[in-house]
Amino acid sequence: MSAAAESGISIIQVVSLLGAAVVAVPLFKRLGLGSVLGYLAAGLAIGPFGLGLFSDGHTILHVAELGVVIFLFVIGLEMKPSHLWHLRKQIFGLGSMQVVVAAILLTIVGMLFGFSWQISFIAASGFVLTSTAIVMSVLGERGEIDSPGGQKIVSILLFEDLLIVPLLAIVAFLSPTHTESGQPLWQSIGIALGCVVALVAAGRWLLNPLFRLLARSKAREVMTAAALLVVLGAGVLMEKGGLSMAMGAFLAGVMLSESHFRHQLEADVEPFRGLLLGLFFLAVGMSLDLNVVANNWPLIVSGVLALMAAKAVCIYFVARLAKSNHEEALERAVLMAQGGEFAFVLFTAATSQGVISDINNANMTAIVVLSMVLTPLFMILHGKLPKKAVAKREADKIDEQHAILQVGFGRFGQIVYYILSAAGYSITIIDKDEKTVAGMNKYGVKTYFGDASRPELLRTAGIEKAAVLVVAIDDPEQILQIVQFAREANPNIKIVARAYDRLHTFKLFQADADEIVRETFDSGVRAGKRALEMLGLPHETAEKAGDLFFRMDRNGMGKMAVLYNPELHAFENQAMLEEGLRQDTRIAEAMQALLRGEEEIDESV
C-alpha cells in the first residue's frame, strides 16, 4: 500500500510538472513575457511556497541541471575546434577581464554591507558566474548564438566554467577547519587537465569509430542511447576531475562537431535538452525560499539590486573597453547581470567547510535565485526602452563609370564578375550589404555601397550611357524594378537579369530584359545530366539529353511568358497551364527520340 501511495505521489508530481509548464509557458509567451519567466513562475506556483506539491526544489534542480549539460553539448556541436581557437582571445581576454573586475567590485559591495572579506568574496564569486541556462536560452530564442555579440557572450560563459577548480580550491584555502586530506592546488589542476586530455583523446580517436559501428546496426534507439552516453559520460568525467559537467559536455560536442554524425546526434538529444532545460527553470522557481526572503527581506532585496547593478555596470564598461557599441554593451549588461547555477555548488562547499554559515548560505542562495527570476523581467523592460535611431549609411559617391554596370555582388554576382573581369572588362559594381562591400574593397575589388533600386544612384553609376547591365541581386521585386527603370532610362542597354523562378522569368520577359537567367536552372540541368549517367547512359548521350532539354525549355518560356497574366494565380491561368503541359509532352517526345538514336529531332515547342 505504501509503495502504491509513493508511486501515486510520484505520478502526481510528474503530471503537475508537465501541467504547470504546459499552462504557464504558452500563457507567458502570449503576454510577451518569454518562456523562461513562464517556467520560473510555474515552479514557484507548484513548489513548497505555492501549492506545496513539492517539498524540495533543490533535489529536482540537481537532476534538471542535465538540461544545461545537454544544451552545452548542442552548442559544442556547432563549434568546430578551429572556430573555438579563433575565439581564444575573447575567451581568455574578454572573459578574464569581466570576471576579475566584477569579482573585485562585488566583493567591495559585500563588505559595504558589513560582511567580512571572506564572506563577501564567496558571495561575489558565486554571483559573478552568470547563469548559462538563462543566457543561452535567451540567445537561442533570438537566434543570436552565432552572431558576433552572441559569440562574445558564449566566450565569457566558457571562461567562467573554467573557474570552477580554482574557486573551489580558494574555498578550501579559506576554510578555518583545514584537513590533511585536501588535495594541493597543483594536483587538482593536474587531474582536471588530465580529464580534459582524456576526453579530447576519446573524441579524436574513439567516438567516430563508435558511432560508425553503431550506425551499421541501423537501430535508431541505440544511437540515441549512445548520444546520451557520450553527453553524460563526458560530463561525469569532467565532474570527477573537478570541472563542471557542462564543460565536459561542451568539449564532447566540439570533438564531434566535424563528425558525419553531427546532425543525427543533435536531433537525438534535442528532445531531452528542451525538456530538461524547462525542468531546470521549474526547479529554480521552486528553490526560491519565500520564508528566507520574508525574514530577511531588507538584506535580500537590497543585496539583489546592489549586486545586479554593480555587475551590470562592470559588464557595460568592460564591453565598452572591448570596443562594443553602447547598445550591445547595455544589452549584455542586462542579460548577464544575474548570478548562476554554479553559485549553489560554491555556497554549499563553503558552508560545509565553515567559510560561511547556514544563514549566509540561505540568504545568498535566495539572492541568486531572485536575480535569475528578475533577469527575464529586466530584459523585457530593456526591450521596451526607446532605441537610439541608427543613422543609415549614405550611398557611396560613384567616381567612375564603365560600359558594364553590375548590381549585386553575392554568390551569384561574384561568378559573373570574375568571368567578365578575367576577360579584361572593367565593371562598376553596386551592392547594399556593408560587409560585402567592405570585404571586397579590402580584397581589391572596387565595390560601391548603395541601394540600386533608387533611380538617382543608377544615374550616378552611368545607367544612361552603359552598354550592359547585369542585375544579380536576390530580391525578385527589386530586380524587376531595376530592369523597368533601366529600360526607360536607356532603351539601347542590354540587360542580363537574374530570375528567381518561372513566374519571375515571365515578369522580367514583360519588362523587356534581354537575357533572363533562372538562378538554379543551369545547375539543375547539370545535376540531371549526372543523374542520367549514374543510371547507365553514356556520358555523351547524357550531355546531349541535358542540352536538348535546356534548349527546348528555354525556347518554350517565351510562349508561356506571352500568356502570363499577373492578375491570375499561376494555376488559375488555364491557357498558360495548357501550354505548359503541351511543352512537357513535346520535350518528353524529343528526349525519347534522342535516346532511341534518331538523327533528326524536332525541337519545336
Side-chain angles (χ1 to χ4, degrees), residues 467-469 483 486-487 490-497 508-517 554:
V468 176
L469 168 66
V483 169
R487 182 56 71 205
N490 185 350
N492 298 319
I493 194 171
K494 298 296 183 183
I495 302 174
V496 179
L508 288 170
F509 183 88
Q510 294 179 352
D512 202 18
D514 294 284
E515 187 68 24
I516 305 164
V517 181
R554 277 176 53 86

Side-chain angles (χ1 to χ4, degrees), residues 65 69 72 92 129 157-169 183 185 187-200 232-252 342 345:
E65 283 176 353
V69 171
L72 281 212
F92 294 101
L129 302 179
L157 293 174
L158 289 176
F159 181 80
E160 290 178 355
D161 272 344
L162 291 172
L163 292 179
I164 294 174
V165 170
L167 283 177
L168 288 175
Q183 290 179 334
L185 179 59
Q187 190 173 346
S188 298
I189 294 176
I191 292 173
L193 289 175
C195 289
V196 171
V197 171
L199 181 57
V200 170
L232 301 181
V236 169
L237 177 64
M238 288 296 104
E239 190 175 46
K240 293 300 181 184
L243 293 166
S244 71
M245 290 185 71
M247 175 59 71
F250 176 80
L251 287 176
F342 177 66
V345 179

Side-chain angles (χ1 to χ4, degrees), residues 24-39:
V25 174
L27 177 62
F28 273 68
K29 290 195 77 170
R30 185 70 179 270
L31 294 172
L33 300 176
S35 59
V36 173
L37 197 56
Y39 280 119

Side-chain angles (χ1 to χ4, degrees), residues 503 506 564-577:
L503 297 182
F506 300 153
Y564 174 69
N565 184 350
E567 296 180 1
L568 291 177
H569 188 276
F571 294 104
E572 294 175 352
N573 189 331
Q574 194 61 36
M576 193 175 73
L577 285 176

